[in-house]
Amino acid sequence: MIATLYSTGQLNAPIGFMAALALGFCFGLCLEKAGFGSSKRLAGVFYLTDMSVVKVMFSAMVTAAIGLTAAERMGAVSLDALYLMPTMLGAHAIGGVIFGLGFAMGGWCPGTAAVGVGSGRLDALVFLAGIVLGSIGYSEAYPWVAPYASMGSKGVVFLHQSLDITKDQLLLGLTGAAVVMFWICEVIERGPAIARPGVSRIFLAGFSMLLCVAALVALNMPKIDMAPGAATIASPGVPAAPQAPAASPEAGLLADVQTGKDHVEPEELAARLMAGDASITLVDIRSKAEFDSFHLKGAVNVVVSQLPEALAAKRGQGIIVLYSNGMTHPAQARDALVRMGFPNVYMLTDGLTGFFERVLKPASLRDEPASPEKAAGIAAARKFFLPAEWTKPAAPALLTPPGQLPGLVDAAWLAANLGKPGLAVIDLRTQPQYNSGHIPGSLSLQLESLRGNVGGVPSSLLPAPMLAQHLSQMGVGPRDLVVIVAGESPHDATLAAVALERVGHIRYAVLSGGMKAWTAANLPKDMALPKVTPSRHPAPEYGNAPDAFTVSGAEVFAAMTAGKTTIIDVRPAEYYTGAKTDEARAGHIPNAVNRPFSEDTAKGPGDATVLKPVAELEKAYAAIIPSKDSPVIVHCRTGHQASQTWWILTRLLGYTNVKYYDAGWTEWAARPEWPVAASPPPPDKEQKK
């Protein structure tokens, strides 16, 4: 198998330049000997006086087709090792018209103009100068003409596919068309007699027969065992284990997966980018909104459907690294590009999530202590890849909040720290309540703006990127210490807390007693709106999951069936028993226990609703859950009340395996295939009437 310069990435290497020079010299010599150093002869095709251009074009096409077919049948060349031009019908039609007009007006094409310059033709020199100026103009105008440059793009499409015929039929048809065209050209030039020195009807018939025989021989060439070529991309630092030649594109893909040649590790990519490796084309295939929120330095944003056109110029040049949040879409895109003839495409292992975890995660948050050298490397990577506002240290006064985070703070602590840099206070009350008096500098946030219809389930917590964008618009940065202030209900604060947890923001606390506690302490209020500078809050990636702690209805069903998980229904008892309902069905998940969320609260100073003391909560939940590491799922109707129980268990009591069923009873009751228990049985419809 021949390892082409293209497949080995050596087109820009010295051997590539030398080969181009040699081939260019031979090509120019042939053109000159054929008389194509004269624009008059070239222009003769437009006046039907000299059909040499047509005959040369058909000769080139049929020779290449027969030769490539023979080489492929013999196993000497694989299509994977060749550059395959993408099909862009609209762009090619426009370009063809422009090219034809230029050819007709100037009498030259780019190749023959170079030959004309070599022959001392002044008009050829002027023509080439126009080509250079036109190329510069196209480059400068590319932002405006880019939509036309890829118009009608269809990827790599072969003519036999478009005609719905086999490759063999196409070769025979092309050979026959060339023979017919040669005869037509001779008749046009010499008349039906075809009588001129060196070319006669007998010669032309013999030549035609020879072409047809060559095509038949090419189609029947036997497979020949050849030593494998090194058909791999020469890229420094990229794993390049020796491999057997691929028998097909699919076999090549499987071989790449087996040998690890389909991906680049985060650490290696970071090192090469930080070293300024210009051979890397880094492509972010996420949405534009996600790209604008954050992307790796040097990356370009290309949607998957436009990858072939956008990367056409990079085919076989250096390496192309695709990344997204996870690996599913990059893997699919990478395989598709390889099938299209891109041999130099890789994907980032574990996606952006893995890059953050393995490269950008601060040394202080890692499971194992980092050596001084590794810690310095992490700091350098964070400085290189992260925006400056993400890496600046938090205000020293806020680094030691009372107790652990996430947790509770009281009104006195908040008043003492109010106005310090890095502190963000979020008021969850209604807008009229906020407008009439709020904690100075606090931000108003309507709780329902954190929820929406997700996957058909209403009132679900929004995906992490949307929540992060919300925080960014409010000017809340990832290092800010957020204090959540509720009005009447602690579960308002815990729902906002769950939203912060979803975006990975754990530097937050809940104001115990909420706004009522602040008011009862006679602490100051004002009605001024704070000045906000938008921030760039990152959104962690969880693949297809919403976060690390939310479970789906299917997961709850599986847990219920297995019988090893404590499922806690925190709705009021009458909804649990089925005596009351405002959903599709009444009752509860079989084997679920009822612990109403309201049993975890009590009245505090100023009639504020506060969470009960930790010791009391510890005792209550110890009677329900076997141990702190037992699997637990909490739910209510829409996830609002359940957020309070999830927060108490995980953040106050230290339970380590508690999941949150956000869709709750709204989804479960609407799925008739999932069982429902009721105790006592709900009243029938007749009784309700």
Side-chain angles (χ1 to χ4, degrees):
M1 184 74 70
I2 296 174
T4 64
L5 295 176
Y6 166 73
S7 67
T8 56
Q10 298 185 83
L11 286 176
N12 289 334
I15 188 174
F17 287 107
M18 293 300 295
L21 180 63
L23 290 173
F25 175 81
C26 293
F27 182 61
L29 183 63
C30 291
L31 289 178
E32 175 61 25
K33 288 296 183 182
F36 284 1
S38 168
S39 60
K40 290 182 179 178
R41 182 164 194 184
L42 292 169
V45 69
F46 301 111
Y47 304 97
L48 302 181
T49 57
D50 191 326
M51 303 300 290
S52 298
V53 172
V54 176
K55 288 184 282 187
V56 166
M57 293 298 178
F58 269 89
S59 297
M61 286 192 293
V62 75
T63 301
I66 292 174
L68 185 58
T69 299
E72 190 179 9
R73 295 296 169 94
M74 294 168 62
V77 171
S78 169
L79 288 181
D80 297 340
L82 303 177
Y83 175 73
L84 302 176
M85 178 74 77
T87 299
M88 293 177 282
L89 295 178
H92 289 164
I94 295 173
V97 169
I98 296 174
F99 182 89
L101 288 173
F103 191 3
M105 296 172 65
W108 301 99
C109 69
T112 56
V115 175
V117 171
S119 301
R121 307 279 185 176
L122 180 59
D123 58 337
L125 180 62
V126 173
F127 189 87
L128 273 184
I131 290 176
V132 173
L133 293 175
S135 300
I136 295 173
Y138 177 83
S139 178
E140 294 300 317
Y142 188 77
W144 291 277
V145 303
Y148 305 102
S150 59
M151 190 167 63
S153 175
K154 295 181 177 295
V156 175
V157 180
F158 294 99
L159 183 58
H160 67 85
Q161 295 172 332
S162 300
L163 299 177
D164 195 22
I165 59 177
T166 65
K167 294 171 69 174
D168 293 2
Q169 291 170 332
L170 177 65
L171 179 63
L172 294 175
L174 180 63
T175 304
V179 169
V180 171
M181 188 55 65
F182 292 146
W183 281 85
I184 292 175
C185 290
E186 290 299 325
V187 169
I188 292 174
E189 289 178 344
R190 304 300 176 190
I194 311 180
R196 65 168 167 168
V199 176
S200 64
R201 298 177 68 172
I202 296 177
F203 171 82
L204 197 56
F207 182 71
S208 301
M209 184 64 69
L210 182 62
L211 277 181
C212 294
V213 171
L216 292 174
V217 171
L219 291 174
N220 292 279
M221 289 298 293
K223 181 81 172 181
I224 299 176
D225 292 334
M226 296 186 179
T232 55
I233 297 299
S235 301
V238 175
Q243 66 177 70
S248 68
E250 297 299 331
L253 286 171
L254 294 175
D256 287 349
V257 173
Q258 181 178 348
T259 57
K261 282 183 76 276
D262 61 334
H263 61 263
V264 176
E265 299 299 328
E267 295 85 354
E268 179 189 346
L269 179 65
R272 295 179 66 174
L273 291 174
M274 294 172 69
D277 190 339
S279 68
I280 297 177
T281 300
L282 189 59
V283 184
D284 186 326
I285 63 172
R286 299 176 301 158
S287 66
K288 185 176 185 305
E290 291 177 296
F291 179 82
D292 291 341
S293 176
F294 174 78
H295 59 268
L296 296 181
K297 183 177 289 187
V300 295
N301 186 215
V302 181
V303 297
V304 172
S305 61
Q306 297 178 1
L307 285 173
E309 295 75 29
L311 300 177
K314 298 294 182 180
R315 188 194 303 249
Q317 308 298 315
I319 67 168
I320 300 170
V321 180
L322 308 179
Y323 78 82
S324 180
N325 300 323
M327 295 181 69
T328 302
H329 288 168
Q332 294 169 337
R334 186 258 172 194
D335 289 351
L337 289 171
V338 170
R339 293 189 186 97
M340 293 178 183
F342 287 81
N344 56 328
V345 184
Y346 300 80
M347 60 183 171
L348 175 60
T349 301
D350 296 334
L352 202 53
T353 301
F355 196 88
F356 267 93
E357 182 68 22
R358 294 167 56 176
V359 177
L360 301 179
K361 187 176 184 178
S364 60
L365 299 181
R366 304 210 172 202
D367 295 335
E368 298 179 356
S371 65
E373 294 77 13
K374 185 173 182 179
I378 293 171
R382 290 177 59 82
K383 183 177 181 181
F384 183 84
F385 288 105
L386 298 180
E389 62 267 27
W390 291 17
T391 56
K392 66 182 180 183
L398 296 178
L399 292 178
T400 54
Q404 65 178 16
L405 293 179
L408 293 167
V409 295
D410 57 28
W413 181 90
L414 179 57
N417 290 277
L418 205 61
K420 289 184 177 179
L423 177 67
V425 182
I426 295 180
D427 189 329
L428 300 175
R429 296 176 301 153
T430 66
Q431 189 171 340
Q433 290 175 318
Y434 174 84
N435 291 344
S436 60
H438 53 257
I439 297 173
S442 62
L443 301 156
S444 176
L445 175 65
Q446 300 305 296
L447 203 57
E448 286 307 309
S449 67
L450 302 178
R451 305 205 293 179
N453 193 312
V454 178
V457 180
S459 300
S460 296
L461 204 59
L462 295 174
M466 299 178 69
L467 295 172
Q469 189 171 13
H470 216 79
L471 292 172
S472 300
Q473 291 174 342
M474 296 171 63
V476 177
R479 303 299 301 272
D480 287 340
L481 195 159
V482 176
V483 175
I484 306 171
V485 181
E488 301 286 340
S489 307
H491 60 284
D492 286 350
T494 54
L495 183 60
V498 171
L500 289 174
E501 299 262 0
R502 179 165 287 184
V503 298
H505 193 123
I506 59 173
R507 282 184 56 81
Y508 74 88
V510 173
L511 177 61
S512 181
M515 196 65 192
K516 279 193 172 182
W518 182 271
T519 302
N522 292 319
L523 293 169
K525 303 178 187 177
D526 69 16
M527 292 182 283
L529 297 178
K531 294 182 179 178
V532 169
T533 300
S535 66
R536 296 175 64 184
H537 200 294
E541 308 298 336
Y542 304 100
N544 295 324
D547 51 45
F549 52 87
T550 299
V551 291
S552 65
E555 291 173 295
V556 177
F557 179 80
M560 178 207 70
T561 304
K564 297 181 179 178
T565 300
T566 302
I567 301 175
I568 304 178
D569 185 333
V570 309
R571 295 176 298 158
E574 59 268 32
Y575 288 90
Y576 170 82
T577 62
K580 294 178 65 174
T581 184
D582 45 14
E583 295 294 341
R585 290 184 291 171
H588 59 266
I589 298 173
N591 301 324
V593 298
N594 184 220
R595 167 71 182 178
F597 77 102
S598 56
E599 294 186 9
D600 294 339
T601 60
K603 287 298 180 182
D607 200 33
T609 302
V610 298
L611 298 177
K612 288 180 176 179
V614 170
E616 189 173 340
L617 294 171
E618 285 267 21
K619 183 178 180 181
Y621 282 102
I624 300 174
I625 305 172
S627 65
K628 289 290 183 71
D629 58 355
S630 297
V632 178
I633 295 176
V634 298
H635 82 89
C636 59
R637 187 172 67 90
T638 64
H640 192 173
Q641 298 162 349
S643 69
Q644 177 181 291
T645 306
W646 180 87
W647 196 82
I648 288 173
L649 289 174
T650 60
R651 299 313 181 196
L652 287 188
L653 305 185
Y655 283 81
T656 60
N657 195 10
V658 184
K659 303 300 183 183
Y660 170 67
Y661 181 25
D662 186 15
W665 191 249
T666 294
E667 182 189 44
W668 190 279
R671 297 288 296 271
E673 68 272 27
W674 291 342
V676 168
S679 178
D684 58 36
K685 294 182 179 178
E686 294 299 324
Q687 290 174 323
K688 285 183 177 178
K689 291 178 179 178

